[in-house]
Amino acid sequence: MIVKPFAPSSLTLGLQALVRRLHPSHPQFTTLQQELKNKEAGDFAEHYILKELEKLPQLSNCHIFHNVMLPTVLPMQIDILVITSSGIIILEIKNIRGTVHFKNDPRQLIRTVDTGEIQVFTHPEIQLEQYIQAMHQFLNEHDIVIPIYGAIVFPFNNVEILREGEGLPIVMGRELPMYLHRLIVKNKGIATTEITNIILSQLQHKKPYPLCRYYQIDPNALQRGVFCENCGRFGMGKLKRTWFCQSCQHQSTDAHVQALKDYYMLVGETITNRDCREFLKIDSEYIAKRLLQKSLQTWRNAGKYTKYNLSGLFESPIGVPKSPVKQNKSPIAADLSPIPPSKSPIEVHESPINQ
């Protein structure tokens, strides 16, 4: 059962807005465009694995989370967390193409691409071991002691893996059902619902916004205006009841909402009427006020200096259930279905570690 479903990461959404509003001639555009590609590839792989896990009957009594951050001493951001009656399983998903070499001394992940270029990354085992230790500490604070397993998962067969010595399991996408089955059949009678609800109550949602500050970009470098999703251009005009694109004749009643979200992700959490008019490229103070009051639930009234809180556009973290999970007493099915290969894997290029 999917408890916390897939949602694009906050950084992915922010980078999409930033790349969309930066001019291609900006000195950071190419770097940010590549970083966005990396994030989208990672999200694609995590979403793919989640969809395949949801199909497996033997996981019907298990609780599955995407993108888990908890208040722990060690930093934690788990790609996929599976709570079973045998223990907790942490999956670290890697969507990397080429030849990857897992070195042990020192622990590094070395990637060789088709061109012969060599790139060096942090060893995924280091991350995974940190997450396992952090999860043990988190559960110990709630007087829970259970087995915690971890695996590095490569969803697609577009990678050749070389490994020195032993370590935590490295699992290909097609092997994942068998790997999970071997752990689940060890049923230890663990109360999965209790653990699930503890995790739900402690979930954290950190955002790197505003990205202009995060990447040290002058907000004045951003393209202004309301973006047309139909033709991909800025400059939709405000008519009485709708937004109208002169380039493609597309109309939308709420195109300004994405523009306000962009402002939140890139510039700041609050916005004034003047800031709104400048960012959306509208002249009327009255129209701006009406749009802001209609779109947002809360604002601090101070006349022309009123600041509207844009966080209201994001009512709650995407994919987070609003109520505790109820106990499901149905038995775990024994059927096992393999994960089919992906027909359209996305390539990912990570940034090498500074040597």
Side-chain angles (χ1 to χ4, degrees):
M1 178 174 74
I2 304 292
V3 176
K4 185 175 184 286
F6 171 81
S9 71
S10 297
L11 184 55
T12 299
L13 296 174
L15 281 170
Q16 288 171 344
L18 184 55
V19 169
R20 182 167 59 241
R21 288 191 176 269
L22 269 187
H23 195 275
S25 62
H26 190 277
Q28 290 176 255
F29 180 83
T30 302
T31 301
L32 293 169
Q33 191 177 47
Q34 184 60 58
E35 185 170 350
L36 173 59
K37 183 180 178 181
N38 295 347
K39 292 298 298 180
E40 288 178 333
D43 286 355
F44 178 87
E46 292 168 20
H47 194 196
Y48 170 79
I49 290 296
L50 273 172
K51 288 190 294 184
E52 297 304 325
L53 293 180
E54 196 171 14
K55 297 175 185 177
L56 299 179
Q58 68 268 33
L59 295 184
S60 60
N61 262 20
C62 301
H63 296 156
I64 304 170
F65 290 73
H66 174 245
N67 190 23
V68 174
M69 288 182 284
L70 294 169
T72 55
V73 176
L74 295 171
M76 173 198 288
Q77 187 166 5
I78 296 171
D79 291 340
I80 297 177
L81 180 72
V82 185
I83 303 175
T84 78
S85 59
S86 304
I88 286 178
I89 306 168
I90 297 173
L91 302 179
E92 177 69 17
I93 313 300
K94 293 297 177 186
N95 187 8
I96 304 177
R97 184 191 297 269
T99 299
V100 295
H101 183 188
F102 287 79
K103 287 191 62 179
N104 274 349
D105 190 16
R107 288 205 291 180
Q108 293 176 316
L109 178 65
I110 300 177
R111 177 197 184 202
T112 305
V113 297
D114 295 339
T115 61
E117 179 186 358
I118 295 176
Q119 300 169 335
V120 182
F121 311 106
T122 300
H123 199 301
E125 273 191 359
I126 298 174
Q127 274 183 311
L128 195 49
E129 289 171 354
Q130 178 175 304
Y131 296 163
I132 291 172
Q133 183 178 347
M135 182 58 71
H136 273 302
Q137 292 174 344
F138 173 80
L139 293 176
N140 285 341
E141 292 176 0
H142 295 84
D143 299 319
I144 298 173
V145 180
I146 60 172
I148 300 178
Y149 309 93
I152 301 162
V153 181
F154 287 84
F156 312 115
N157 291 322
N158 57 355
V159 59
E160 179 185 10
I161 299 172
L162 307 175
R163 184 173 195 170
E164 293 181 2
E166 298 181 353
L168 291 170
I170 299 175
V171 181
M172 302 304 295
R174 290 183 64 87
E175 299 177 299
L176 190 55
M178 286 303 304
Y179 169 76
L180 295 172
H181 181 70
R182 287 193 294 269
L183 296 178
I184 292 171
V185 295
K186 299 177 182 179
N187 193 330
K188 300 180 183 298
I190 294 170
T192 58
T193 302
E194 177 187 354
I195 298 172
T196 295
N197 288 329
I198 290 173
I199 290 176
L200 279 174
S201 69
Q202 297 291 311
L203 282 175
Q204 294 187 330
H205 313 282
K206 296 181 180 177
K207 297 181 177 66
Y209 308 146
L211 288 193
C212 282
R213 182 189 304 162
Y214 186 78
Y215 289 107
Q216 298 184 336
I217 294 173
D218 184 351
N220 292 321
L222 301 175
Q223 295 189 69
R224 263 52 175 175
V226 174
F227 184 75
C228 176
E229 293 185 350
N230 188 58
C231 69
R233 296 182 180 181
F234 286 96
M236 294 189 79
K238 185 71 176 75
L239 302 181
K240 185 174 182 180
R241 298 183 182 275
T242 186
W243 291 89
F244 177 74
C245 178
Q246 292 184 346
S247 298
C248 68
Q249 316 302 306
H250 176 68
Q251 296 188 39
S252 170
T253 57
D254 60 356
H256 64 283
V257 174
Q258 184 58 56
L260 293 174
K261 288 182 177 180
D262 288 356
Y263 188 96
Y264 172 85
M265 293 186 286
L266 304 181
V267 182
E269 186 176 0
T270 60
I271 190 171
T272 64
N273 186 294
R274 180 178 179 179
D275 293 334
C276 177
R277 282 179 280 136
E278 290 178 353
F279 197 75
L280 273 60
K281 296 185 72 172
I282 54 179
D283 297 324
S284 171
E285 183 176 343
Y286 169 74
I287 291 176
K289 181 178 181 179
R290 189 178 62 184
L291 290 174
L292 290 169
Q293 291 186 349
K294 182 178 179 181
S295 303
L296 306 172
Q297 296 293 326
T298 60
W299 61 88
R300 191 180 67 188
N301 195 347
K304 66 179 182 179
Y305 300 107
T306 295
K307 290 188 176 182
Y308 299 82
N309 192 326
L310 295 172
S311 62
L313 296 171
F314 303 83
E315 291 183 359
S316 61
I318 299 174
V320 179
K322 297 182 179 180
S323 58
V325 174
K326 296 181 180 180
Q327 181 69 45
N328 184 351
K329 298 183 179 180
S330 59
I332 298 176
D335 184 35
L336 188 66
S337 303
I339 293 180
S342 170
K343 295 182 180 179
S344 57
I346 296 178
E347 182 177 1
V348 59
H349 302 278
E350 300 186 38
S351 303
I353 300 172
N354 295 325
Q355 297 295 306

